[in-house]
Amino acid sequence: MTEPLKVALLAMNAPGYQSLAIAYLRAYAEADPRLKGRVGFQSLDLAATDDPWWVAYRIIGLEPDVLGVSVFCWNARAVYDVCRIVREALPNVTIVLGGPEVGPIADAVLYAEPAVDAIVRGEGEAAFADVLDLARRGKPLSRADGVTARGPDGDTQAAPDRALIADLDSIPSPY
């Protein structure tokens, strides 16, 4: 049996808050039959005011295969700094961003931030589960609907948009 894919989920929140986004991403992926027993998660709910070097140190210590990060206007600069530091220390990690600050401008973010491998556009639960399944199997991340990813030549490749989840009750509760 092969080792489970190690996934770190990072939220850099406004001080005093916790991320509902990464909790839902994790719950959805843990319920996905393709990923059961094949993916292990660590979630880091930190503050956007935390030093990016300290945040990166925490992530590097987890030695993830995939790092998923929610990006908002209040944490974007810190997230990009963390990604650059983590990429230097863990060159083989797959870094996936999602959230309202990056989804609508996925190509521009991938161009500006070479440490980032993929961007989830729109709702992230199903798309991120697909990304994890593709990463686990060594397949291109751009095969997941709703994802823009770097191709083998460094060019960006965008899969078609993903349909919105029609029944929100189908998303498992993280609580």
Side-chain angles (χ1 to χ4, degrees):
M1 182 170 161
T2 62
E3 290 289 316
L5 189 72
K6 295 192 309 187
V7 179
L9 293 172
L10 171 65
M12 296 184 75
N13 307 299
Y17 289 86
Q18 289 190 313
S19 173
L20 190 56
I22 66 169
Y24 270 109
L25 288 175
R26 181 174 176 164
Y28 193 94
E30 286 178 331
D32 189 314
R34 301 170 299 172
L35 302 176
K36 281 193 187 267
R38 296 182 175 109
V39 178
F41 290 93
Q42 291 287 328
S43 297
L44 296 171
D45 242 319
L46 305 173
T49 55
D50 288 337
D51 183 319
W53 284 92
W54 179 80
V55 174
Y57 175 79
R58 298 270 315 267
I59 294 164
I60 292 163
L62 298 174
E63 298 180 343
D65 300 305
V66 176
L67 170 62
V69 189
S70 294
V71 187
F72 297 92
C73 59
W74 60 81
N75 71 2
R77 287 182 187 219
V79 165
Y80 299 146
D81 288 345
V82 168
C83 291
R84 287 184 212 112
I85 297 164
V86 169
R87 170 67 65 212
E88 285 294 318
L90 301 173
N92 295 322
V93 68
T94 299
I95 299 177
V96 182
L97 305 182
E101 196 66 23
V102 295
I105 57 169
D107 285 317
V109 172
L110 288 171
Y111 176 78
E113 299 297 333
V116 178
D117 297 299
I119 308 267
V120 173
R121 307 179 319 266
E123 293 178 343
E125 289 82 3
F128 189 65
D130 285 352
V131 163
L132 295 179
D133 182 54
L134 291 166
R136 183 182 65 76
R137 296 184 296 122
K139 303 292 183 188
L141 304 183
S142 61
R143 289 187 183 179
D145 285 352
V147 173
T148 301
R150 272 185 219 293
D153 299 326
D155 57 328
T156 60
Q157 301 174 343
D161 289 338
R162 179 176 293 276
L164 296 176
I165 296 173
D167 178 13
L168 295 180
D169 289 332
S170 69
I171 300 173
S173 172
Y175 301 106

